[in-house]
Amino acid sequence: MITASHSPPDGEGRQYSLRTQRLAIGALAVAVSAASIALIAASAPWQIRFPFVAAAALFGPAIPALRLRPELSLSQCLVYGVGADVALQMLAGLALVLWHVWAPVAVSLGLLVITLAVGLKLLFDART
Amino acid sequence: MAQARRKFDADFREGAVRLVRETGKPIAQVARDLGINGRTLGGWVNADKRVRANGAGSLDEDERANGAGSLDEDERANGAGSLDEDERADLARLRRENAEPAIEHDMFQRLHGLRETSTRDGFTGTLARVRGISGLPPFILTLTRCALPLAALAIGLLSLTTARESAVGQYGLIQALPPLYFVSLGILSISFIRAWRSPQPRFPELILGVISLVVLLQAAPGIIESEPRFQVAWLHAGFTDFVARTGRVLPRLDARFNWPSFFTGMAFLDRAGGLPNAIILIRWWPVFINLLYLPPLYMLAKLVLRDAKKAMLAIWLFPFANWIGQDYYSPQSVAYLLYLVLLCVVLGPYGASRKAMIPRLRRKPRDNDTKNPPDDWHPQTPAHALTLLLVMLTLCAAMDTGHQLTPVFALAVVAVLVFFGRTRLLAWPGVMFLLAAGWICYGAITFWIGHISALFGGLGSVGGNYTGDLHLQLHESAAHHQVNDVRLLVVGAISGLAVIGFFAGRKMRVDRTAAAVMMLTPLVTIAGQSYGSEAGLRGFLFSLPGSLCLVAMALTSARMGLRLILTGALTAALIPAFLIARWGNEIFERVLPGEVSAATALYRVAPHGSTIMTLTLPATLEFTDIGQYQYQSGTIDTSASGGITSPARLVPGLARQLGRNPHGGYLIITISQLESARTNSGVPLSWGADVERQLTKSPLFRLIYSNSASKVYQVVGAHDYSQP
């Protein structure tokens, strides 16, 4: 009797799909984080800066970091990643308040650098 | 529903098998994508494996029964019947090899929802040819199909720009909405149902339909109203700005600062993004957060319903059913997102162990049991498990420190899912409890000490906890009574259909236990907690993921024709019902420009430390200078034997209260306050006018600011009242 179990995934097809996803997510992570870092460094007006920083905060570092794990599907990476990124922003802000070190721009830059690094790692992994 | 047996040619079968083999997707998913039976595809995959293992081979009885038997018919038609066994195998192999490019092309088309372009599938193929669309490239065809929801969205948004805010009345925003807006919602609904009834999933169209629906429903007040709506959202923006400016929280000022991670997170983001203040965010926040809810809701629905189309139906209903209005700029809105994502992990990679915690609830697995996710959904390596653990810990930590109530619902739902064996995370409820209790004992100690009665006062008052926020009071206006009736009707319809769905889902490949747990647990959990008289509303909000899955089961259990009629009828009923239930209080929940101007003028003149009093709630205040003023809200007593307090008696009392503060006292009266008093307490608008006349005449007050929406009075002779 046939059940809804999986057939063993074909290595080549899955690898191709994973490579494509890593390439897309990595490129996006690098683009939004690099743009956000540049806009923060340039003290750009909030009308330009905020959309990029908010997009980068929503997208990274969790989504690209989760895509490093081959076991997770793309939808799992995106859904869990958005949840984890939102939670991470909340906890980062809370930690700064609790430790009386209110330096949100510096810590945000740190998170953006992590996103950038993970994005670059994804791009590197996708190429090799 | 029984389907007519269809025949598939060898090219199609081979392409489908290759899709399974090369993409690694589950058989069930590929079968759904192609619109064929999972068992049939499973038969083909098994046959292919055997052929590959043996080089070639004939098909056995089972395979023929599963639809593979038509190969023989094809071969006979091609004259292959006279060949011996080896020759037939070689012929089949050569034919497959030669046909590969064509199969790939065919499968590519099918994967993009273009089954109609294929000539192999009787009815739909014929339909497509008759419509003359078979020649279009996939991308263009997808765009063509998406034109309808896009057009509906454009029409709806444009129509909203013509709406008049002044038309908002006792039934709320619906009175201000132009007819074209309803037409756009109708087009959108027809477009969705048309795409949904297609045997081939047309996901771009379905997804666009749901996104357009969320935007049309949630953006309406943002476009029509001059100022961002809802006074509490302004207050939360003020809290965020305070944290962003000072890097501190004030747990003694407001209970919400005891669970501050929403405000700290938003302040963190605001500073990084250079935002001047958080008020900028609140107008479009409901649109944004409702769009963020869709992916986890879809994932959750798909985990429960095991079918992408049914899951799409569940999330199509969500924007209509979510009339509660907790998605404004608030800790609850974000905590709900975290709750949904947490459930996706709990029921996804760790889903359905089938080990109920008490033996008699254990169900023996059947051979053909497909309710449980395939094994490779579960964590496969320690690193995989660690990744998921980190995600869950992050979600729970943010939830526990961000909102009072959400962790309670999350803990209860996960614990009951464990109890019924729907998740393998047996110890996770304990971890969640420790995290929540840890924060209460550390971060929320100020609240904990001062609010024991608030936390446990609701125990035993089950009825009061459910109905507290429905404002079912004797003095409410007739219109408000009808708005509440509509709300109850929506709750009743969703709950009734969910019950039907639970029984209808018996013969479906769905996890109705998980759906029922997600629906019922929040409703039971809030029975013991009043939560400021909002318990029933919150319970309904948290029960929605489960109840909508059950509603989708109910609707899809009917025959296709009836299913479409029911879905269409439910959508048609929910459109006006949502607009009344959700925006029915807009007459006093909206924020008028005059009210903001009055509050801004008040903050300019009132010295820090002074008292600011409102005649009644709501009030658009505290969006700036948090912690610098003392706030008081007057209450209108309608239960006194003499009826409503007369203005002549009220005014000296207000002066006494305000005069006790040596820094000064101010009274602000707005149209929203008077409308709220009329709607909720049956106080006539003339009473407000009388109070204003009395204040103007009284030597105890001085009018310092006035516009069409608000008046601000300053109490005079404060020092006299401050004397002991």
Side-chain angles (χ1 to χ4, degrees), chain A residues 1-14 17 40 44-47 49-50 53-54 57-58 65-66 69 71-73 75-77 79-84 86-98 100 102-105 107-108 111, chain B residues 20-22 24 26-28 42-43 46 49 243-244 247 249 260-262 264-265 267-276 280-281 288 292 295-296 299 334 337-338 341 344-345 349 367 370 374 376-377 380-381 383-384 387-388 391 394-395 397-398 401 439:
Chain A
M1 184 67 75
I2 299 297
T3 67
S5 65
H6 294 195
S7 64
D10 185 296
E12 199 182 322
R14 194 178 166 87
S17 167
I40 291 174
W46 71 265
Q47 291 91 337
R49 178 172 153 186
F50 184 77
V53 173
L58 209 58
L66 288 174
R69 304 282 341 144
E71 303 94 340
L72 293 167
S73 69
S75 57
Q76 286 174 328
C77 281
V79 171
Y80 303 169
V82 166
V86 170
L88 204 59
Q89 294 288 317
M90 294 165 73
L91 294 174
L94 183 66
L96 295 182
V97 168
L98 292 180
H100 307 290
W102 187 240
V105 179
V107 176
S108 184
L111 287 174
Chain B
V20 174
R21 210 171 57 222
E22 294 186 3
I27 290 170
N46 275 358
K49 281 179 188 167
V243 178
V249 291
S261 66
F262 167 76
T264 58
F268 179 80
L269 189 63
D270 287 3
R271 287 289 100 173
L275 210 62
I280 294 161
L281 300 177
F288 168 74
L292 274 188
M299 182 180 265
V334 172
L337 172 72
L338 303 179
V341 177
C344 287
V345 185
D367 289 342
T370 54
D376 60 354
W377 285 23
Q380 292 167 324
T381 60
H384 186 192
T387 306
L388 293 171
V391 169
T394 313
L395 293 170
T401 55
W439 177 255

Side-chain angles (χ1 to χ4, degrees), chain B residues 48-207:
Chain B
D48 176 70
K49 281 179 188 167
R50 269 177 235 148
V51 167
R52 283 172 169 268
N54 302 327
S58 58
L59 304 173
D60 63 26
E61 276 305 315
D62 281 344
E63 288 156 3
R64 271 194 285 274
N66 284 329
S70 54
L71 180 64
D72 297 329
E73 291 165 20
D74 291 339
E75 285 166 358
R76 271 196 293 277
N78 290 321
S82 58
L83 302 175
D84 65 30
E85 197 72 22
D86 289 338
E87 287 169 327
R88 284 177 63 191
D90 284 339
L91 180 62
R93 183 174 52 80
L94 288 170
R95 198 182 290 158
R96 277 196 301 273
E97 285 170 0
N98 290 334
E100 270 183 4
I103 295 166
E104 281 177 359
H105 176 69
D106 183 46
M107 286 303 114
F108 177 76
Q109 283 188 320
R110 284 159 196 255
L111 268 180
H112 286 78
L114 295 178
R115 188 169 181 184
E116 292 87 340
T117 61
S118 166
T119 56
R120 297 186 173 92
D121 299 309
F123 173 71
T124 47
T126 308
L127 192 65
R129 285 196 300 280
V130 169
R131 287 173 179 170
I133 57 171
S134 58
L136 291 175
F139 178 68
I140 300 293
L141 191 61
T142 305
L143 275 185
T144 312
R145 283 174 175 159
C146 290
L148 201 57
L150 279 175
L153 179 64
I155 292 168
L157 292 178
L158 282 174
S159 73
L160 287 173
T161 60
T162 66
R164 286 180 306 112
E165 186 179 0
S166 57
V168 173
Q170 287 294 296
Y171 294 97
L173 199 68
I174 195 167
Q175 291 170 272
L177 295 171
L180 210 53
Y181 178 76
F182 293 93
V183 172
S184 71
L185 283 174
I187 295 172
L188 195 59
S189 306
I190 292 167
S191 148
F192 180 88
I193 293 170
R194 196 169 139 265
W196 187 75
R197 74 163 191 184
S198 164
Q200 181 65 28
R202 284 156 42 173
F203 285 108
E205 201 176 340
L206 293 172
I207 292 167

Side-chain angles (χ1 to χ4, degrees), chain B residues 1 310 500-501 504-505 508 552-559 563:
Chain B
M1 190 183 69
K310 288 177 188 168
I500 294 170
M508 293 181 184
M553 287 178 209
L555 293 175
T556 52
S557 66
R559 287 183 295 106
R563 183 185 305 183

Side-chain angles (χ1 to χ4, degrees), chain B residues 560-630:
Chain B
M560 180 50 94
L562 184 61
R563 183 185 305 183
L564 294 175
I565 291 169
L566 286 174
T567 307
L570 186 63
T571 303
L574 283 175
I575 289 173
F578 170 83
L579 294 171
I580 292 173
R582 175 62 188 267
W583 312 119
N585 289 342
E586 214 55 14
I587 191 81
F588 60 86
E589 284 188 347
R590 69 181 159 159
V591 172
L592 296 170
E595 295 174 344
V596 178
S597 306
T600 308
L602 173 60
Y603 285 123
R604 262 203 305 270
V605 298
H608 286 173
S610 56
T611 301
I612 294 175
M613 178 181 269
T614 58
L615 196 59
T616 180
L617 287 174
T620 310
L621 291 170
E622 296 192 70
F623 54 84
T624 183
D625 290 353
I626 296 291
Q628 302 297 332
Y629 299 96
Q630 295 175 31

